[in-house]
Amino acid sequence: MSRATGSRPSDLPMRVQDSNRMSMVYTTPQSKFGKLNIPKPQSGTSERRTSFFGARTSGAGMPRNSTMSGFGGTEKIKDARPLHDKAFVQQCIRQLHEFLTEQGYPGTLSSKTLQSPSTKEFVKMFEFIYRQLDPTFEMPKSKVEEEIPAILKALRYPFVLSKCSMYSVGAPHTWPQALAALMWLIDSVKINWSLTKQELLFSDFCEDSDSIEEGAEYNKLFLDYTAETYSKFMQGDDTFEDEDEIFLAKLKRLYNVDEALLASMEEKHRMLSKEVEQLEKESQTDRLMTKRMEKVKLQADLKKLQSYRSSLETFKANLENKASELNDELDTTVSHLETLKLERNELQHLLQNQKFTPADVERINREKRELQQTISSLTKSLEEAEQHKWNEEIALAKVKEKAELKLAEYHKLARKLKLIPLSAENACGHDFEIRPFECGPGNMVQHKAQIQMLLRKLISDVEEENSRLTNTKLNLEESCEQVNSNIIDKANDLKQLREQKRKLDERLDLDMQEIAREEQEWAAEMESVEDHRKLLEKKVNYGYDEAVQQLKAAQQQYHLVLQETNEERRTVANNLASVFTTAADHLSITEVNLLQLHICFLHNEKESASQRNIFEFSGVRIYTLS
């Protein structure tokens, strides 16, 4: 907190506290001294960041009104991510592809697929990512468009993903929003992984941390700190360094923080940072990334080979089918050839055995020629008849077309006059529509006479109405002349009013010029205030980015320290195991040797009476030869 405030690039009055101080209220004490917990995202985060320079207008030393409308409340959160920026969308697609590839996504992945995926592919990707959080999750078969927004809402996704967008996920106007939701879900998965690792790492530091954090002492400290800082905030203060230091000291006393351990860990962190910097300087190439790229290329080559193999198998199957078809056709042709050979032999046999004379052959040929002439004349007559029929059909079609055009004009005019259909305004319940193909010629003439009679009656009615309207028009013209005389009288009055209006316009122009001049001054003042606001916003964002980078660096160093600590623990455990094994072996060997010596002593006790010495070992009295 003090470090963040001390690294400000300007001495201008701070309108907004640094993000590290603000985040401290929402983190637990274990995030500094024990198990690391990352707070849940607040519902008004995005709106709060955008409202720092808009809704809050109080000065640095003036008290503030106790209202929360400037910090979001029930306002709809606006997504500040550049979802319509193509570069941002492509970056998100690359990150999504890397994550799915690293985690072993079972489906097929390609850049073309991720540019505009189908709803089915999107559901598969969402199910795969969500299973990283809940391995037992199974996507339902029906109502997927309702299930996915409900899951995101349950995970506290700060923006709304509509149900309608699930029907066309790959559309240009819906895919960026769905992609942003997937990226948010991936970030949640990574945060969950980091929390799991931190809980495993710091489980030995504070075994009763859960009961302490939720206890009455911690709640009392937190409420006192919140009440004190909020009261000073309402009085116009923006920094609370003294209160933060007092609160940290109380937390250290509450959780029994070892300052020496923290100092040693900081020294170790500094040494590891130097080693990491040295290793980064020595290694200029990222071998892991190179291997990943080679893995991706090899997977792509494998997919190409598999597709080529499948295409070859398909081609082979097609060739086999064609070969079988050709064999069947060949067998059919051979059988047909044998049949033709038999027929030819029979015809040759008949030709050799026939008993026609040359006169019979000449007569048959003459009859054949006569029949051919008759057939040609009849064919010519048939062609002429068909041509005549075709010409008559063309003439009939032209007449029919003209009749249809006239009928269409009649129907168009009748619709304009509101005579058809039966429910039209001027039809009066009569049918004026002509249907030429629904009735015979006699009914057609009768229908035509009926329509003409109705039209004559309608024309007479229209003429009567026209005469009545003409009389009305004359009366209106007389009234109009009277109105015109009144208008002339009023025109004189209007001239006087216009003169008065001109004078008022001149006075209004002077007032407008004065107002425009004042507006220019206000615009210049607003522009200067807006520049000052942008400068402050830029500096605040710069401070926030720097704090985020420092946090990432600290997390990396923390992981390195964790790995080294685990290695040391494993080494000590192995050494202790070897020591205990050696001691046990030595004790067993010593026990065997002492037993042998005792047996020898009992055997030689009758033969010799030498001087004996007495020794003690592990509470057991043993006799040995001097």
Side-chain angles (χ1 to χ4, degrees):
M1 288 172 287
S2 60
R3 179 183 60 189
T5 56
S7 61
R8 293 180 62 203
S10 174
D11 293 333
L12 294 173
M14 185 179 227
R15 295 298 304 122
V16 182
Q17 179 61 21
D18 187 81
S19 59
N20 291 334
R21 181 190 65 77
M22 295 180 65
S23 62
M24 176 183 173
V25 180
Y26 300 100
T27 56
T28 62
Q30 293 176 352
S31 63
K32 294 182 177 293
F33 313 117
K35 183 170 61 177
L36 295 178
N37 293 330
I38 295 178
K40 295 180 179 179
Q42 301 299 320
S43 60
T45 301
S46 301
E47 191 65 21
R48 184 174 296 178
R49 292 184 62 185
T50 58
S51 63
F52 279 146
F53 297 95
R56 292 177 57 185
T57 57
S58 61
M62 297 178 63
R64 297 174 173 84
N65 296 326
S66 179
T67 176
M68 299 302 291
S69 61
F71 291 88
T74 58
E75 295 178 1
K76 184 178 180 181
I77 299 175
K78 182 179 180 182
D79 195 347
R81 294 172 293 184
L83 299 181
H84 298 288
D85 187 5
K86 293 183 178 179
F88 177 79
V89 174
Q90 294 300 323
Q91 181 182 0
C92 293
I93 290 174
R94 286 195 297 271
Q95 293 177 0
L96 176 61
H97 185 274
E98 291 176 359
F99 179 84
L100 295 177
T101 304
E102 292 174 358
Q103 302 305 320
Y105 179 67
T108 58
L109 288 176
S110 63
S111 58
K112 184 177 180 181
T113 303
L114 295 179
Q115 292 294 335
S116 179
S118 62
T119 304
K120 185 177 181 181
E121 293 169 345
F122 175 80
V123 171
K124 287 183 179 179
M125 290 187 289
F126 182 89
E127 182 180 4
F128 177 79
I129 297 171
Y130 188 74
R131 280 185 178 177
Q132 307 301 319
L133 294 174
D134 185 8
T136 62
F137 174 75
E138 291 291 337
M139 182 65 71
K141 301 299 182 181
S142 62
K143 295 185 179 180
V144 179
E145 64 277 4
E146 297 179 0
E147 186 69 16
I148 292 177
I151 293 174
L152 291 174
K153 185 177 181 181
L155 291 175
R156 303 288 182 86
Y157 183 61
F159 310 107
V160 178
L161 190 64
S162 63
K163 182 176 69 176
C164 299
S165 61
M166 291 293 99
Y167 293 101
S168 58
V169 175
H173 63 282
T174 56
W175 171 233
Q177 298 177 0
L179 178 61
L182 289 179
M183 297 307 300
W184 183 87
L185 187 59
I186 289 173
D187 293 340
S188 300
V189 171
K190 293 180 180 178
I191 290 173
N192 183 52
W193 290 347
S194 65
L195 285 176
T196 305
K197 293 180 181 177
Q198 291 166 3
E199 290 175 359
L200 293 174
L201 173 63
F202 291 100
S203 59
D204 297 332
F205 281 80
C206 188
E207 297 178 353
D208 298 331
S209 59
D210 294 333
S211 60
I212 293 175
E213 179 177 351
E214 301 298 334
E217 295 179 359
Y218 168 75
N219 292 335
K220 184 177 181 301
L221 289 176
F222 180 74
L223 290 175
D224 293 340
Y225 168 79
T226 305
E228 187 176 359
T229 52
Y230 184 74
S231 63
K232 291 192 175 182
F233 176 79
M234 295 301 296
Q235 293 175 4
D237 294 339
D238 281 321
T239 58
F240 312 100
E241 296 180 356
D242 297 335
E243 288 76 11
D244 293 340
E245 291 177 359
I246 295 171
F247 183 64
L248 286 177
K250 291 180 179 180
L251 288 176
K252 289 178 181 178
R253 288 196 299 271
L254 177 62
Y255 293 99
N256 298 324
V257 177
D258 190 359
E259 296 289 343
L261 179 61
L262 290 178
S264 63
M265 294 298 289
E266 289 179 357
E267 182 65 22
K268 203 169 189 180
H269 175 267
R270 185 179 59 79
M271 295 174 63
L272 290 174
S273 300
K274 291 183 180 179
E275 292 180 2
V276 169
E277 291 178 358
Q278 185 177 0
L279 291 174
E280 288 178 352
K281 291 180 181 179
E282 292 176 358
S283 177
Q284 298 295 335
T285 59
D286 190 354
R287 291 182 295 173
L288 180 60
M289 184 59 66
T290 304
K291 295 298 182 183
R292 287 177 179 174
M293 295 300 294
E294 291 179 357
K295 180 182 177 182
V296 172
K297 291 180 181 178
L298 291 175
Q299 289 178 351
D301 295 338
L302 178 61
K303 291 179 181 178
K304 290 180 181 179
L305 289 174
Q306 291 176 352
S307 62
Y308 180 68
R309 178 184 176 185
S310 62
S311 63
L312 286 178
E313 291 177 354
T314 306
F315 183 69
K316 179 181 177 181
N318 293 332
L319 289 179
E320 291 177 353
N321 294 330
K322 289 182 179 179
S324 61
E325 291 176 358
L326 290 175
N327 291 328
D328 295 339
E329 186 177 355
L330 180 62
D331 295 338
T332 305
T333 306
V334 169
S335 61
H336 184 63
L337 179 62
E338 293 296 332
T339 305
L340 291 176
K341 286 182 179 180
L342 293 175
E343 291 179 357
R344 186 190 65 179
N345 293 331
E346 291 177 359
L347 292 174
Q348 286 179 355
H349 180 71
L350 291 174
L351 180 62
Q352 291 175 1
N353 295 330
Q354 67 180 356
K355 298 179 180 179
F356 288 104
T357 61
D360 295 333
V361 173
E362 183 66 24
R363 180 176 54 79
I364 291 170
N365 291 331
R366 184 173 62 254
E367 291 177 355
K368 179 181 179 181
R369 285 193 295 271
E370 291 176 355
L371 291 173
Q372 287 179 351
Q373 291 177 359
T374 305
I375 290 171
S376 61
S377 61
L378 292 174
T379 303
K380 186 175 180 181
S381 301
L382 180 61
E383 290 178 354
E384 291 178 354
E386 288 180 352
Q387 184 66 29
H388 181 69
K389 177 184 176 183
W390 175 254
N391 295 331
E392 293 294 332
E393 288 180 353
I394 291 174
L396 179 61
K398 289 181 179 180
V399 173
K400 186 177 179 182
E401 184 178 359
K402 291 179 180 179
E404 288 178 353
L405 290 174
K406 290 182 179 180
L407 185 60
E409 292 177 357
Y410 166 76
H411 286 164
K412 184 177 179 182
L413 183 60
R415 287 189 179 91
K416 287 183 179 180
L417 296 175
K418 299 180 181 180
L419 296 176
I420 55 175
L422 287 171
S423 59
E425 181 180 355
N426 297 328
C428 299
H430 301 293
D431 188 8
F432 289 94
E433 187 174 359
I434 299 176
R435 301 177 182 85
F437 302 106
E438 294 181 3
C439 56
N443 294 332
M444 185 67 188
V445 173
Q446 183 180 359
H447 187 59
K448 179 180 177 181
Q450 184 180 359
I451 291 175
Q452 287 178 353
M453 182 179 65
L454 293 173
L455 288 175
R456 291 191 187 97
K457 182 179 179 182
L458 183 62
I459 290 170
S460 63
D461 294 338
V462 170
E463 289 177 351
E464 291 177 359
E465 184 68 19
N466 189 17
S467 62
R468 186 180 63 80
L469 292 175
T470 303
N471 295 329
T472 306
K473 179 182 176 183
L474 294 175
N475 296 329
L476 291 175
E477 286 178 354
E478 292 177 358
S479 301
C480 183
E481 290 178 357
Q482 294 178 0
V483 171
N484 288 332
S485 62
N486 293 331
I487 289 173
I488 293 170
D489 295 336
K490 297 296 182 181
N492 297 326
D493 299 335
L494 183 61
K495 288 180 181 179
Q496 296 177 0
L497 293 174
R498 284 180 178 174
E499 184 64 24
Q500 295 177 1
K501 178 178 174 297
R502 184 182 62 79
K503 293 178 181 180
L504 292 174
D505 289 339
E506 292 177 356
R507 186 179 300 174
L508 179 62
D509 291 338
L510 294 175
D511 294 339
M512 291 297 292
Q513 291 176 2
E514 184 68 22
I515 293 171
R517 185 167 60 254
E518 292 178 357
E519 286 181 352
Q520 290 178 357
E521 295 176 357
W522 294 344
E525 185 177 357
M526 286 296 294
E527 185 176 359
S528 62
V529 172
E530 184 68 18
D531 294 338
H532 183 64
R533 184 190 68 81
K534 290 181 180 178
L535 179 61
L536 290 178
E537 185 177 1
K538 181 179 179 182
K539 291 178 179 179
V540 168
N541 291 333
Y542 174 77
Y544 173 76
D545 295 338
E546 184 178 359
V548 170
Q549 293 177 0
Q550 292 177 359
L551 176 60
K552 290 181 179 178
Q555 288 178 350
Q556 293 177 359
Q557 299 304 325
Y558 160 73
H559 288 301
L560 293 175
V561 171
L562 172 62
Q563 293 177 0
E564 185 174 353
T565 304
N566 292 334
E567 291 294 334
E568 290 178 357
R569 286 183 180 178
R570 283 195 294 270
T571 304
V572 171
N574 293 331
N575 293 335
L576 289 175
S578 63
V579 168
F580 289 152
T581 304
T582 305
D585 295 339
H586 179 70
L587 287 175
S588 63
I589 293 170
T590 303
E591 185 179 358
V592 170
N593 292 331
L594 290 176
L595 183 61
Q596 291 177 358
L597 289 173
H598 183 64
I599 294 171
C600 291
F601 169 75
L602 294 176
H603 182 70
N604 297 325
E605 186 179 10
K606 297 178 181 181
E607 298 178 359
S608 64
S610 302
Q611 186 180 357
R612 297 177 177 86
N613 295 324
I614 301 174
F615 297 93
E616 293 286 333
F617 182 77
S618 300
V620 179
R621 181 169 292 180
I622 302 173
Y623 295 88
T624 60
L625 293 174
S626 59

